[in-house]
Amino acid sequence: MAEHEEQRAAPLNGDTTRKREDYLEWPEYFMAVAFLSAQRSKDPSSQVGACIVNQENKIVGIGYNGMPNGCDDDLLPWSRSADDRLNTKYPYGINKVCHAELNAIMNKNSADVKGCSMYVALFPCNECAKLIIQSGSSSPRGLRLSLILIPLTTLEC
Ligand SMILES: [Zn+2]
């Protein structure tokens, strides 16, 4: 048995009267929820998830990038480029895909997200950055952002 397997198996085979020590910390847990949410995305080039958490470590919003409500994601094109720009996901120079940050804020199950933290695995675009700021603008703490920076080659939304 490899060393890491022994460590993982220890709580089950050993002392079960004490709490486990290898549980996920809150930031790891929330970031994992963001990554899991990203797996719901149908975008073939970018899968992004976001998770909003309040000050009591309760999840108040989750989102991932996808077409706007009512837009058939089987009919609309997902391409980043094409001979005819109308056959891309940027038909009028704007991205028609709703980003994970937007959807997480719109899906919130609380009155607002002031003082909350957002966990997202991709650096927000300029539109989402404005949305994040505005969503917590009247709070001294605002909506804080936690993210894992990933290679620049994958930053296009
Ligand atoms: Zn964005």
Side-chain angles (χ1 to χ4, degrees):
M1 182 182 291
E3 185 175 323
H4 71 277
E5 290 173 332
E6 290 173 9
Q7 289 174 348
R8 179 166 286 171
L12 298 175
N13 298 329
D15 185 359
T16 56
T17 61
R18 295 186 341 207
K19 73 174 188 179
R20 291 177 51 232
E21 298 294 333
D22 60 344
Y23 58 88
L24 288 178
E25 297 293 335
W26 286 119
E28 297 168 328
Y29 173 65
F30 298 131
M31 192 58 80
V33 170
F35 276 102
L36 179 64
S37 300
Q39 296 305 304
R40 280 283 308 152
S41 174
K42 298 176 182 94
D43 192 322
S45 52
S46 300
Q47 301 83 44
V48 184
C51 176
I52 302 174
V53 181
N54 70 13
Q55 293 172 336
E56 298 173 338
N57 286 327
K58 293 179 179 166
I59 294 173
V60 297
I62 294 175
Y64 56 89
N65 57 320
M67 292 290 179
N69 290 340
C71 294
D72 190 334
D73 49 30
D74 287 320
L75 296 177
L76 292 171
W78 289 97
S79 301
R80 284 182 162 174
S81 61
D83 290 338
D84 183 349
R85 193 156 176 85
L86 292 178
N87 291 327
T88 70
K89 63 181 179 180
Y90 315 108
Y92 304 105
I94 56 169
N95 190 346
K96 67 179 175 243
V97 175
C98 295
H99 289 177
E101 301 93 322
L102 166 72
N103 284 330
I105 292 170
M106 296 306 295
N107 292 340
K108 69 185 182 302
N109 59 14
S110 62
D112 60 52
V113 292
K114 295 178 183 75
C116 291
S117 296
M118 177 182 282
Y119 291 80
V120 58
L122 188 65
F123 200 86
C125 70
N126 65 317
E127 293 299 321
C128 289
K130 289 188 288 188
L131 185 62
I132 291 166
I133 292 167
Q134 291 303 94
S135 66
S137 61
S138 60
S139 165
R141 295 185 62 192
L143 175 61
R144 293 173 291 143
L145 191 63
S146 301
L147 36 87
I148 293 176
L149 295 176
I150 57 173
L152 290 173
T153 53
T154 58
L155 279 181
E156 275 189 61
C157 295

